[in-house]
Amino acid sequence: MGFFTDSSVCIGCKACEVACKEWNEVPDLKPAWSGNSYDNTLRLGANSWRHVAFVERVRQDDAAGVRWLMSSDVCKHCTRAACLEVCPTGAIFRSEFGTVVVQDDVCNGCGYCVVACPFGVIERREDDGRAFKCTLCYDRLKVGEQPACAKACPTASIQFGPVEELREAAQARLEQVRGQPGGEEARLYGADEGDGVGGFGAFFLLLDRPEVYGLPPRPEYRRRDVVTMWGAASVAAWLLVGGLAGALRWRR
Amino acid sequence: MAAVERREEPAERPLVPRERPRSYYGLPIVRRPAWTWEVPLYFFTGGTAGALAAVSILARWSGQHRMGRSARRMALAGALVSPALLISDLGRPARFLNMLRVLRPTSPMSLGSWTLAGFGTALGMAEAADLAGLPVAVTGTMEGAAGILGPILANYTAVLLGDTANPTWRGGRHLLPFVFSGSSLAAAGGALCLAGPGEGRAASRRMVVVGTALEQAAFLAMESQLGPLAEPYRTGRGGRLAQAHRRASWAGALLVLAGRRSPLLQRLGGALALGSSALLRQAVYRAGFQAADDPAYLVESQES
Ligand code: SF4
Ligand code: SF4
């Protein structure tokens, strides 16, 4: 199961942010004005599992003035999830719904997932010490409910369902949006299994390039990179031993 | 709550910039480490201890017993400090044993934790066997085990950094292990120059020189491979640390060479070599902060 977030119908109401906080008892953020349009949440983190981005953009040729892009961001529940693969305690697991969930009774706050996530999603909670992120409402899914954010979204910008079905719906929606004014640069982000993380369980329809929304253009996590790195490290280890043996004038 | 001041904008300047946006309000995309000062220090203590453990078994095999024992004791000290540093960095230190809850081959931190645990155990047993006067074969076997794990301990931390989303760490992932290996080699030599036995002086000096050469060459290669992603090693705190590291490194090697007849110069050179190895880990760690904080690095590296 996963999310399809269709940013073309997002009205920036932040109902998802609020519903998520309430249901999951996510601690509040220290209130502060960012000056970045209507966005004071700024980015995803341990205490913000949904984040609505507000982009103000003026294009050179745009007679209409400011173009407003809004999109509700969330953990991507990657098919190849870096956070899960690097977690040394096994605290992060793939659930029966295909989502990526942290077990907070196992996490020891080593912080590795924080630097491993290609989207900067997961974060260590400062006062708590453990890592937190969206669980795709694991507890609600288990009783057959849909996630709080999807339920609260008044425009169906956040859709929840089996990823395969969502992808088909997204493709159809993309074709529709492309034909409309302002939809020239529309694209699906994370709907392709061939991308760097094997596709997202939570993917998006964006109206501009991903980095405009604070998303990495081409996120990547591949297991074979770890293999080649260990290869390099083995050669380097042998060089170290060779250097020591040479220095000690060691001969058989 | 901070109030936002909005200054009058000149009429011809649009409130919203017209240029092609490369990021979302300049906010970072990937996260900077949540780690604290203990982590780069551990990279140094673990790396040095790892190389020293390899010295200990190689010296034993080549009949330099005093050298071997001295290296082993220093390695043991490193093996005791290292886990303490790592545990104190955890968000939940009481749960440190969860590190050995699973063995996850895809996680360099998991493999590293197991390596460190085995390494410390082997060194502790070698020391105990030696003190208890057990047969040499027992001590030797334990030293051998530590000597095999040591070189892995010396550079797995480079794999750990490479296996992240940080553009500068990730971009250098195949050369950083060589940098760390060289640095650990120089640091082991430095420690032995500083406090090792007289019989191993010449060998310790060679370690510093060979290690420095390897580390500097690998670092240059890594910088040129990184291209624009090497900027965090040239500017800001990362840049200052990298430069301090480079200077200490060369100065250490030169002093050690000059110290052939002066034990004082040799000690000084040894201390510099050790210090430069610690500085290297700090530089790499800090460069990672800069690389994470500016989204341009990530976006540019993923666009081409
Ligand atoms: S987006 Fe980050 S936190 Fe979410 S599953 Fe992928 S790697 Fe893990
Ligand atoms: S901080 Fe917790 S969830 Fe993240 S990698 Fe470490 S143990 Fe796993």
Side-chain angles (χ1 to χ4, degrees):
Chain A
M1 304 297 269
F3 284 129
F4 166 47
T5 305
D6 177 359
S7 78
S8 67
V9 292
C10 178
I11 52 169
C13 70
K14 302 192 197 182
C16 50
E17 282 192 24
V18 176
C20 174
K21 285 232 174 204
E22 288 208 329
W23 180 263
N24 294 300
E25 298 183 324
V26 179
D28 53 355
L29 300 169
K30 221 165 87 207
W33 302 116
S34 68
N36 299 343
S37 190
Y38 284 90
D39 180 11
N40 293 314
T41 307
L42 297 182
R43 58 191 297 208
L44 293 173
N47 296 341
S48 39
W49 298 356
R50 270 274 174 194
H51 161 234
V52 180
F54 282 74
V55 181
E56 293 178 15
R57 235 192 116 178
V58 178
R59 284 182 309 182
Q60 221 75 46
D61 54 343
D62 215 337
V66 177
R67 196 157 87 109
W68 242 6
L69 306 176
M70 285 156 280
S71 179
S72 178
D73 195 10
V74 69
C75 165
K76 317 302 176 286
H77 295 273
C78 311
T79 304
R80 278 195 306 272
C83 62
L84 187 157
E85 303 279 354
V86 304
C87 174
T89 64
I92 305 183
F93 73 106
R94 187 161 311 271
S95 77
E96 62 270 39
F97 305 105
T99 55
V100 180
V101 184
V102 191
Q103 306 172 76
D104 54 15
D105 54 341
V106 177
C107 170
N108 67 5
C110 75
Y112 200 10
C113 54
V114 175
V115 279
C117 170
F119 306 89
V121 168
I122 192 164
E123 189 190 17
R124 203 155 86 171
R125 209 171 266 167
E126 237 164 72
D127 49 355
D128 179 288
R130 293 171 299 177
F132 291 89
K133 72 170 191 72
C134 158
T135 67
L136 220 147
C137 283
Y138 188 42
D139 50 349
R140 294 175 63 103
L141 297 201
K142 274 202 279 200
V143 296
E145 265 293 333
Q146 58 172 322
C149 55
K151 183 138 195 171
C153 179
T155 64
S157 171
I158 300 174
Q159 296 166 31
F160 169 76
V163 175
E164 275 312 311
E165 283 172 28
L166 289 176
R167 279 192 189 140
E168 273 166 40
Q171 199 55 48
R173 176 67 187 151
L174 176 68
E175 270 141 42
Q176 233 175 24
V177 172
R178 275 245 177 94
Q180 289 172 16
E184 302 82 5
E185 288 191 67
R187 71 201 66 204
L188 295 184
Y189 178 64
D192 178 8
E193 272 165 33
D195 72 11
V197 298
F200 313 171
F203 63 98
F204 303 81
L205 188 156
L206 303 177
L207 296 178
D208 208 326
R209 292 186 317 281
E211 62 267 31
V212 171
Y213 297 89
L215 295 162
R218 273 198 282 155
E220 200 176 33
Y221 175 80
R222 292 180 202 283
R223 275 193 185 165
R224 65 155 189 268
D225 286 346
V226 194
V227 179
T228 60
M229 274 186 263
W230 278 113
S234 316
V235 177
W238 278 113
L239 265 181
L240 168 61
V241 174
L244 290 173
L248 287 159
R249 295 277 145 88
W250 181 66
R251 282 183 194 86
R252 299 210 100 185
Chain B
M1 256 210 258
V4 185
E5 240 181 78
R6 273 240 180 269
R7 248 177 274 128
E8 260 331 298
E9 298 277 343
E12 65 280 8
R13 224 179 92 199
L15 211 67
V16 181
R18 277 174 189 275
E19 78 271 17
R20 187 178 176 216
R22 317 267 308 164
S23 72
Y24 183 68
Y25 299 104
L27 290 168
I29 295 178
V30 293
R31 281 196 177 274
R32 45 153 75 184
W35 298 323
T36 40
W37 59 272
E38 292 98 329
V39 168
L41 190 59
Y42 157 70
F43 289 177
F44 162 68
T45 58
T48 312
L52 281 165
V55 171
S56 117
I57 186 68
L58 288 170
R60 170 183 292 275
W61 282 347
S62 59
Q64 304 168 56
H65 291 287
R66 224 171 305 146
M67 174 84 155
R69 181 168 302 160
S70 160
R72 192 189 66 218
R73 299 230 158 110
M74 292 186 207
L76 181 62
L80 291 175
V81 175
S82 297
L85 289 171
L86 284 183
I87 291 169
S88 103
D89 167 69
L90 293 177
R92 286 289 171 102
R95 291 187 180 172
F96 74 95
L97 271 180
N98 282 7
M99 283 295 186
L100 307 180
R101 182 179 167 266
V102 292
L103 186 126
R104 188 186 281 282
T106 54
S107 168
M109 193 183 277
S110 172
L111 293 180
S113 301
W114 282 99
T115 305
L116 180 63
F119 179 79
T121 311
L123 273 179
M125 282 167 69
E127 191 62 41
D130 197 6
L131 291 177
L134 293 185
V136 196
V138 180
T139 317
T141 309
M142 287 299 123
E143 269 181 13
I148 291 170
L149 295 176
I152 304 171
L153 202 63
N155 68 22
Y156 90 86
T157 49
V159 178
L160 188 153
L161 294 178
D163 194 25
T164 64
N166 190 288
T168 294
W169 290 346
R170 192 180 151 76
R173 65 187 181 277
H174 290 126
L175 287 165
L176 200 57
F178 292 89
V179 181
F180 280 15
S181 264
S183 184
S184 299
L185 175 49
L192 288 163
C193 277
L194 193 64
E199 74 169 31
R201 287 242 176 90
S204 319
R205 282 198 298 267
R206 286 192 288 265
M207 287 176 204
V208 171
V209 174
V210 174
T212 304
L214 172 59
E215 164 211 73
Q216 294 295 330
F219 201 97
L220 276 180
M222 182 176 81
E223 277 188 304
S224 84
Q225 194 196 32
L226 281 173
L229 291 179
E231 204 179 80
Y233 288 120
R234 303 211 182 93
T235 55
R237 198 157 156 202
R240 282 195 298 280
L241 284 162
Q243 193 179 39
H245 153 69
R246 206 164 334 169
R247 286 184 181 158
S249 209
W250 287 121
L254 288 177
L255 274 185
V256 159
L257 278 179
R260 218 170 299 177
R261 258 164 231 97
S262 150
L264 183 68
L265 281 187
Q266 162 154 339
R267 287 219 179 88
L268 206 61
L272 272 172
L274 268 179
S276 87
S277 186
L279 278 170
L280 167 73
R281 296 343 193 274
Q282 289 288 347
V284 174
Y285 177 64
R286 279 294 152 196
F289 281 66
Q290 281 161 242
D293 286 353
D294 186 346
Y297 294 122
L298 189 90
V299 171
E300 266 162 41
S301 71
Q302 292 187 354
E303 259 182 350
S304 48

